[in-house]
Amino acid sequence: MLIKRVMCVFVASVIFLGAQENREAQEIVISAQNFKQNIPFKLYTLKGENEGPTLLVIGGIHGDEPGGYFAPALLVDYYTIKKGNVLVVPNLNPHSIMAFERGIYKDMNRKFAKIAKNDPDFENVERIKEIIKNPKVDFVINLHDGHGFYREKWENSIFNPKAWGQTYVIDQKTLDNVPFGNLDSIAKQMETLLNQTLHYDFHTFGVRNTETKFEDEEQQNSLTFFAATHLKPALAIETSKNIKELPLKTLYQLSSIEALMGIMGIEFVRNFELDLKNVKDKIDALGSVKINGNMTLPLNGIKNNLNFVPLLSDANRFVFTHPIGGVKKVKDGFEIYIGHKKITHLKADIFPMQCKLESVQVELDGKQTIAKAGDTLEFSKDFLVGEQEGVRVNVIGYSKKGVVSEHNLKLSQNMMDKNYAIDKEGKIFRLELYAGKNFCGMLNMRVKE
């Protein structure tokens, strides 16, 4: 299977350069060149106001373990670090996340001892290795969902010593002569803290020591063992795949991260109460995607398919507000994802975009405003787009025989066909702007509630 080449414009590990907090949206560029390569992962830096230790949080190494990538996404969006630093990689394995498979190029977590240069995961694995090895990183956690519920004694096929779910997995008890090297003690402190606040009693966490160097040859290829061999304390957090509620797994992951930050002395605030309802609400907040700098699509409530979306023939640029937003090239356009969830399918209508339109004048309920391509404007009664030389206005969902450009027309909601709205409720309509054969941009005209 050939995968479209994807180039991601990302900010390097800015914390290492002494820069301020970085959690800006990062651009993904889809190029027409075909070859097998995973998408570069995103890296966010949450830098505290005061100096302190640095925690590296890695999610999404396995694409079918959503607790492991929604938790770091919420960490990026809703947490502020006051003391210390937190580096967050929410989507280490983007192609596998969108496919909702463990690893479409085989198991990425078995490639840290050795990886071929032509492996599609090569660039991501080598890049995360360099981040792990950086002297500023004090502790590494790798987030997973694992089968069953770990128990020290065999109970049944779900609750047993071979289960990985609800565990803090360490490769060895201690790393000598490094800060936070008392891995067993740290994991047991986390275990004690989490088991006090479980949603169900049988969700208890345990500590699983794989004794990787002596007992588990396969685990010697893992990310956490790679970290340990470079004297970086590391553990894996495994919530159970048998817990089907994504918000609950995400809640346990966030609670575990918070417990570890507390043990390390990393101080933080979050802007919501950490409970199941709020975590669900945050997971359901999908944000938006800006495409080619001239249109924005709000993703909550968007229709499953949008037809005739103006796009470039090559090198389309996508910027998500959500940390695990992703895009996949398909035969007739693009699929938009948040994590493993396909949000919408954009059927492409190809246009050149050599256009210098900087702004457009719009009247909203009788009041004048200046808008830029990509803006969302709200109206209650009606709107009108002013005439601009050389610019053609096309309001998708409105048509009148003989009208070439829909400027200087006062349009209300009931004059437009809801079947052409962006959203399922029929409240947001596309207002497209053209200059000759060029697409200049789009406004979202949203009916006020």
Side-chain angles (χ1 to χ4, degrees), residues 394-395 397-406 409 411 415:
N394 184 20
V395 179
Y398 172 84
S399 64
K400 186 176 182 180
K401 191 174 181 179
V403 176
V404 177
S405 176
E406 290 150 2
L409 295 176
L411 303 178
M415 297 170 69

Side-chain angles (χ1 to χ4, degrees), residues 243-259:
I243 298 173
K244 301 304 181 184
E245 304 93 333
L246 176 57
L248 184 52
K249 289 195 286 192
T250 304
L251 174 63
Y252 287 153
Q253 290 278 6
L254 287 173
S255 298
S256 299
I257 295 168
E258 289 191 7

Side-chain angles (χ1 to χ4, degrees), residues 64-115:
D64 61 347
E65 300 176 7
Y69 42 85
F70 274 93
L74 268 58
L75 186 65
V76 170
D77 274 346
Y78 300 107
Y79 285 68
T80 299
I81 303 304
K82 308 301 287 185
K83 179 182 179 182
N85 310 286
V86 179
L87 304 181
V88 186
V89 173
N91 63 336
L92 189 63
N93 193 348
H95 274 167
S96 296
I97 290 172
M98 287 186 286
F100 200 53
E101 295 183 16
R102 182 177 179 85
I104 63 173
Y105 309 121
K106 298 184 179 179
D107 189 344
M108 183 186 279
N109 203 30
R110 296 296 179 264
K111 297 181 180 182
F112 283 82
K114 184 179 181 181
I115 184 170

Side-chain angles (χ1 to χ4, degrees), residues 165-177:
Q166 302 301 95
T167 58
Y168 301 122
V169 183
I170 57 177
D171 293 285
Q172 56 200 66
K173 281 194 171 185
T174 60
L175 274 177
D176 295 334
N177 303 317

Side-chain angles (χ1 to χ4, degrees), residues 68-292:
Y69 42 85
F70 274 93
L74 268 58
L75 186 65
V76 170
D77 274 346
Y78 300 107
Y79 285 68
T80 299
I81 303 304
K82 308 301 287 185
K83 179 182 179 182
N85 310 286
V86 179
L87 304 181
V88 186
V89 173
N91 63 336
L92 189 63
N93 193 348
H95 274 167
S96 296
I97 290 172
M98 287 186 286
F100 200 53
E101 295 183 16
R102 182 177 179 85
I104 63 173
Y105 309 121
K106 298 184 179 179
D107 189 344
M108 183 186 279
N109 203 30
R110 296 296 179 264
K111 297 181 180 182
F112 283 82
K114 184 179 181 181
I115 184 170
K117 288 186 177 181
N118 63 351
D119 190 307
D121 290 329
F122 177 80
E123 291 186 9
N124 280 6
V125 169
E126 290 302 304
R127 182 175 164 223
I128 196 65
K129 282 181 178 179
E130 290 305 310
I131 296 171
I132 290 169
K133 291 190 296 183
N134 191 283
K136 295 283 188 179
V137 171
D138 295 301
F139 205 105
V140 180
I141 51 174
N142 196 13
L143 309 183
H144 292 268
D145 295 335
H147 170 73
F149 296 87
Y150 176 75
R151 295 290 188 270
E152 290 185 0
K153 295 181 179 180
W154 181 275
E155 297 177 18
N156 54 47
S157 61
I158 302 298
F159 298 86
N160 61 72
K162 293 185 177 180
W164 290 89
Q166 302 301 95
T167 58
Y168 301 122
V169 183
I170 57 177
D171 293 285
Q172 56 200 66
K173 281 194 171 185
T174 60
L175 274 177
D176 295 334
N177 303 317
V178 295
F180 311 111
N182 53 328
L183 288 168
D184 186 62
S185 173
I186 288 174
K188 286 178 177 176
Q189 289 179 66
M190 294 171 64
E191 172 191 33
T192 298
L193 289 168
L194 262 292
N195 287 341
Q196 294 172 357
T197 57
L198 297 171
H199 198 72
Y200 297 105
D201 289 343
F202 68 91
H203 287 174
T204 52
F205 279 83
V207 176
R208 179 171 180 169
N209 182 1
T210 57
E211 299 186 58
T212 301
K213 186 175 180 180
F214 305 104
E215 300 289 342
D216 197 331
E217 186 173 344
E218 184 182 6
Q219 190 74 5
Q220 292 173 15
N221 299 305
S222 70
L223 183 151
T224 55
F225 189 69
F226 171 85
T229 59
H230 289 82
L231 299 181
K232 299 290 184 176
L235 60 79
I237 299 173
E238 300 253 9
T239 46
S240 178
K241 288 184 177 181
N242 295 71
I243 298 173
K244 301 304 181 184
E245 304 93 333
L246 176 57
L248 184 52
K249 289 195 286 192
T250 304
L251 174 63
Y252 287 153
Q253 290 278 6
L254 287 173
S255 298
S256 299
I257 295 168
E258 289 191 7
L260 178 57
M261 288 195 292
I263 293 165
M264 292 180 66
I266 296 174
E267 298 175 5
F268 64 91
V269 294
R270 57 176 140 70
N271 62 3
F272 68 98
E273 186 176 348
L274 191 60
D275 59 31
L276 198 56
K277 181 184 181 303
N278 282 318
V279 171
K280 182 182 184 305
D281 289 345
K282 302 306 181 189
I283 289 174
D284 290 342
L286 305 179
S288 64
V289 58
K290 192 163 191 177
I291 305 173
N292 295 323

